[in-house]
Amino acid sequence: MIVTVTPNPSVDRTLSVERMTHGDVLRATNSWSEPSGKGVNVSLALLGHGYATRALLPIGGAEGARLEAMLRAAGLDYVPVPIDGEIRSNVSVLEPDGTVTKVNEPGPELSEAELKALIDAVAAIGEGAGWIVGCGSLPVGTPADFYADMVAAARGTSARIAVDSSGPSLTAVLAAGPDLIKPNAAELAEAAGRPVETLGDALTAAHVLQDLGAKSVLASLGPDGAVLVEGGEAVHGEAYVAETRSTVGAGDALLAGFLAAGGRGPEALRSALGWSAAAVRQPGTVLRADGTDTAAEVTLHDRVDVDRRLRHS
């Protein structure tokens, strides 16, 4: 069982257009809505591939009711924490070449009692789970140490703990000693306080985050694949993708694939890259198993080319 915690879930609407032109009236060629928020995405990817998962998330307002209806329709086991506010609705504009312009709402402000209920629920539903995974941004006004509190609550269970967040919430959770963190290149650079322009930079930054408390670091590097740093060992891997349709949700698929394969070691990295490659070949946010093969051409390198420049830099 993999339990995901999504403090800032959403309903995501995707609009396909022929070309994104600033200031013009655009006509969508296709559109759809999906349940979302990073932890929800991870749980739905796991569910779609037959892995046991449960999603914990706050629910409130009309969008919250809509999200619940979507989760029920998907057959996802979820635990709602009722809130007074309205959960957010995000919009993505997708172009034919895979370019995505995304507008995310900030989300509701949760009261102190609502945040406590969310943390209390982590310990209540996490017992017996293999992993508890905190994912995504925090609602407006939420203290940066939310995930650190989540780690503390989860320590009373038998589960390992992973966190996929950014900014102050990622920095704050390091001292709590999560078993795994999954930053992207920009988040890795920000948390380590140093530029990440090469694979060597990514390794150095990952070691900095280990020194600050993270046991393992799975860093997603976009077209340059991912680096896994566990203890003193590092593995770099990449997957061949002939056509990218959308990169939204690729990091969530990467994390889901890694956890599905046990959450440690090179073979888990191979699985992660396969799931991520499958995600970028699909439109939308959620990785689906409806005929999409997650077996990609994945290459692992146990000797990292530290001088290789990242394509995002």
Side-chain angles (χ1 to χ4, degrees):
M1 172 66 71
I2 297 170
V3 172
T4 63
V5 182
T6 309
N8 204 10
S10 65
V11 173
D12 274 16
R13 184 163 180 78
T14 300
L15 307 173
S16 292
V17 299
E18 289 299 327
R19 185 174 63 178
M20 183 70 174
T21 307
H22 181 71
D24 276 4
V25 174
L26 307 177
R27 298 191 183 279
T29 58
N30 193 15
S31 65
W32 62 92
S33 295
E34 299 172 301
S36 195
K38 294 181 75 65
V40 172
N41 296 344
V42 170
S43 277
L44 288 171
L46 290 165
L47 174 69
H49 289 84
Y51 292 89
T53 184
R54 178 177 296 135
L56 171 66
L57 66 163
I59 291 287
E63 287 299 315
R66 188 180 180 207
L67 177 60
E68 281 202 273
M70 289 178 169
L71 297 179
R72 286 194 296 269
L76 180 64
D77 179 5
Y78 71 98
V79 177
V81 173
I83 61 171
D84 290 334
E86 177 99 13
I87 70 158
R88 61 189 179 145
S89 179
N90 300 329
V91 177
S92 296
V93 182
L94 174 63
E95 298 176 69
D97 66 354
T99 300
V100 177
T101 302
K102 203 166 193 295
V103 182
N104 287 349
E105 291 185 346
E109 184 168 354
L110 273 60
S111 69
E112 185 175 337
E114 290 167 344
L115 289 171
K116 183 178 184 302
L118 199 55
I119 292 295
D120 288 347
V122 170
I125 72 171
E127 187 56 51
W131 283 91
I132 297 173
V133 191
C135 297
S137 64
L138 300 180
V140 174
T142 300
D145 60 0
F146 173 85
Y147 285 125
D149 290 343
M150 184 202 81
V151 171
R155 288 296 182 210
T157 73
S158 58
R160 288 181 285 168
I161 304 150
V163 174
D164 180 3
S165 191
S166 60
S169 61
L170 174 58
T171 304
V173 79
L174 295 173
D179 296 288
L180 174 72
I181 59 171
K182 196 221 69 66
N184 61 28
E187 294 159 353
L188 184 63
E190 182 182 14
R194 55 189 305 128
V196 174
E197 298 176 350
T198 66
L199 286 178
D201 292 340
L203 288 183
T204 300
H207 287 306
V208 169
L209 301 194
Q210 283 187 307
D211 290 341
L212 292 171
K215 293 182 175 62
S216 298
V217 180
L218 174 64
S220 54
L221 304 175
D224 294 288
V227 168
L228 173 64
V229 179
E230 295 176 321
E233 302 297 320
V235 182
H236 170 234
E238 50 197 327
Y240 172 74
V241 178
E243 179 186 8
T244 296
R245 299 187 66 186
S246 172
T247 58
V248 176
D252 305 327
L254 182 90
L255 180 56
F258 187 74
L259 298 176
R264 61 163 59 100
E267 289 311 305
L269 177 59
R270 184 184 299 277
S271 170
L273 289 163
W275 286 44
S276 182
V280 301
R281 295 198 299 266
Q282 300 180 20
T285 302
V286 177
L287 173 62
R288 293 182 171 84
D290 49 1
T292 300
D293 186 5
T294 56
E297 183 182 327
V298 175
T299 304
L300 299 184
H301 314 278
D302 55 7
R303 185 182 294 273
V304 179
D305 180 1
V306 295
D307 295 321
R308 172 172 157 180
R309 292 191 65 82
L310 301 182
R311 279 170 274 187
H312 75 85
S313 62

